[in-house]
Amino acid sequence: METFIRNIPKAELHLHIEGTLEPELMFAIGERNGVELRFGSVEDVRRAYEFTNLQDFLDIYYEGAKVLQEEQDFYDLTWAYLTKVHEQNVRHVEIFFDPQTHTDRGIPFETVVSGIHRALGDAETALEMSTGLIMCFLRHLSAEAAMETLEMALPFKEWIIAVGLDSSEIGHPPEKFVEVFDRAREEGFLTVAHAGEEGPPEFIWQALDFLKAGRIDHGVRCVEDDRLVERLRDEKIALTVCPLSNVKLCVFDAMEQHNLKQLLDLGLRATVNSDDPSYFGGYMNANFLAAQRALGLEKEDIYRLVRNSFEAAFVGEERKEALIQELDEYMEGAA
Ligand code: HPA
Ligand code: ZN
């Protein structure tokens, strides 16, 4: 089973690039930019990763991101992630970035997006991966600030496939961002949103009805509402579930309590993703392995999770079919 999981071709659809910043790279980039961290050492950083909720995590995550200043920093961060997941046979990635975390510190939007985009381009040629970039708005900031960020992104819109919504969910319902998402869709962006991680099922309804989200990031609390489950199933809305993140942030007390298997059995388009792997204890394979062990997933479940991610990917039909074919050939070989 472990070899089967390591080698199966897969896609990652819920990954915050700032959340891949490993402590070693945080220190290396911090040093070359002369940025003082409030942590003394790599071990101090790792010791601080004792989160009990989303906000505890976000406070440290925004702190770490302060070392990122130059285009090359964003390139190095993204490239480190891409080479790592390439070794895990991740064939397609869609990466979130949080421009406001950087522009609010005076880093130009162009610096951020150029470094990430250049690394994604290199992955397409050198690693034969397909890639997409999704710009997230920080929901704890105002709708006006999100609109300004959207306007900054317009000159780069060929590089960005979708917009999303992340950061502190409680107190910041999706409806706050209706106008921004309307404008984003007019400009040709697809839409996704974090909802139903800590927030109630009502926020998932709002993400669908007000933001026209094509996928829901996390969405695990949908099971509290039968009508919502029906809607997600009927409309084949994917849920980008992040097992290790959910346990680390205490959305579930333990992996054995995670509802990933239940979501699959309800016929929902659940997928497995790593969210912020540097902070939550593992990349794609670690997420699959932890969930498989705790929930007793069968090969057929793993296949379904991966297939769901290919079906839900924001790529052209041709690439999608090629990925699914690669997966089916892998399954035939593994049988
Ligand atoms: N939820 C909300 N905001 C985030 C997350 C998350 O899982 N990761 C990074 N920003
Ligand atoms: Zn997330």
Side-chain angles (χ1 to χ4, degrees), residues 8-304:
I8 196 168
K10 36 184 104 65
E12 172 139 70
L13 305 179
H14 184 156
L15 180 279
H16 302 264
I17 198 62
E18 294 88 352
T20 68
L21 182 58
E22 293 287 343
E24 290 78 8
L25 190 60
M26 191 189 293
F27 273 89
I29 295 179
E31 207 153 293
R32 78 188 184 206
N33 288 335
V35 176
E36 279 284 334
L37 288 166
R38 69 178 161 93
F39 308 106
S41 66
V42 164
E43 292 70 36
D44 279 352
V45 181
R46 289 226 156 83
R47 258 195 299 278
Y49 292 178
E50 288 299 327
F51 321 113
T52 52
N53 59 43
L54 179 58
Q55 196 58 53
D56 287 354
F57 153 69
L58 289 170
D59 293 343
I60 289 185
Y61 163 88
Y62 295 130
E63 167 84 16
K66 285 183 189 158
V67 300
L68 303 165
Q69 299 193 339
E70 308 292 334
E71 192 260 8
Q72 189 67 40
D73 303 339
F74 291 93
Y75 178 91
D76 290 348
L77 175 70
T78 309
W79 186 248
Y81 163 73
L82 290 165
T83 51
K84 204 164 287 161
V85 294
H86 174 66
E87 287 170 14
Q88 304 193 358
N89 211 17
V90 173
R91 307 284 296 116
H92 175 80
V93 293
E94 290 173 24
I95 289 183
F96 295 131
F97 75 119
D98 287 341
Q100 289 158 292
T101 298
H102 314 297
T103 53
D104 285 359
R105 300 181 286 119
I107 311 295
F109 187 95
E110 181 173 10
T111 301
V112 179
V113 76
S114 301
I116 300 172
H117 176 75
R118 185 159 64 88
L120 294 177
D122 284 354
E124 300 222 353
T125 49
L127 309 177
E128 294 179 359
M129 294 165 74
S130 45
T131 68
L133 183 56
I134 301 175
M135 170 172 87
C136 283
F137 303 115
L138 298 182
R139 69 203 302 163
H140 69 276
L141 301 178
S142 68
E144 291 71 33
M147 191 67 93
E148 284 165 22
T149 304
L150 177 61
E151 276 160 12
M152 274 182 222
L154 294 180
F156 305 95
K157 76 176 181 184
E158 297 311 313
W159 293 356
I160 300 170
I161 187 151
V163 298
L165 195 61
D166 66 1
S167 189
S168 325
E169 187 177 7
I170 303 289
H172 304 286
E175 65 180 342
K176 175 172 156 188
F177 297 93
V178 182
E179 286 84 13
V180 185
F181 274 64
D182 281 349
R183 174 84 197 279
R185 287 197 317 283
E186 280 166 27
E187 295 286 352
F189 295 100
L190 299 170
T191 61
V192 297
H194 282 55
E197 176 187 18
E198 288 189 342
E202 168 61 19
F203 284 15
I204 302 177
W205 285 106
Q206 289 188 13
L208 297 172
D209 290 334
F210 296 150
L211 309 186
K212 316 287 182 209
R215 298 193 302 243
I216 298 293
D217 297 312
H218 294 295
V220 291
R221 288 193 58 192
C222 71
V223 297
E224 296 168 29
D225 180 339
D226 293 341
R227 272 185 51 240
L228 177 58
V229 168
E230 214 168 290
R231 165 105 185 254
L232 293 167
R233 188 169 45 214
D234 288 350
E235 296 186 11
K236 296 190 167 69
I237 303 285
L239 305 178
T240 62
V241 178
C242 306
L244 287 172
S245 164
N246 291 157
V247 174
K248 194 81 182 169
L249 300 185
C250 305
V251 173
F252 297 94
D253 292 335
M255 193 61 84
E256 287 72 17
Q257 264 94 58
H258 201 288
N259 67 6
L260 179 65
K261 173 73 173 150
Q262 183 192 0
L263 297 171
L264 274 184
D265 292 345
L266 284 166
L268 295 173
R269 201 174 251 190
T271 66
V272 166
N273 308 272
S274 73
D275 207 5
D276 301 280
S278 164
Y279 293 87
F280 299 150
Y283 289 76
M284 285 291 276
N285 285 347
N287 273 276
F288 272 104
L289 285 166
Q292 187 278 325
R293 286 183 186 136
L295 305 173
L297 301 182
E298 308 283 352
K299 285 185 180 172
E300 194 52 36
D301 298 317
I302 305 294
Y303 170 79
R304 183 42 57 200

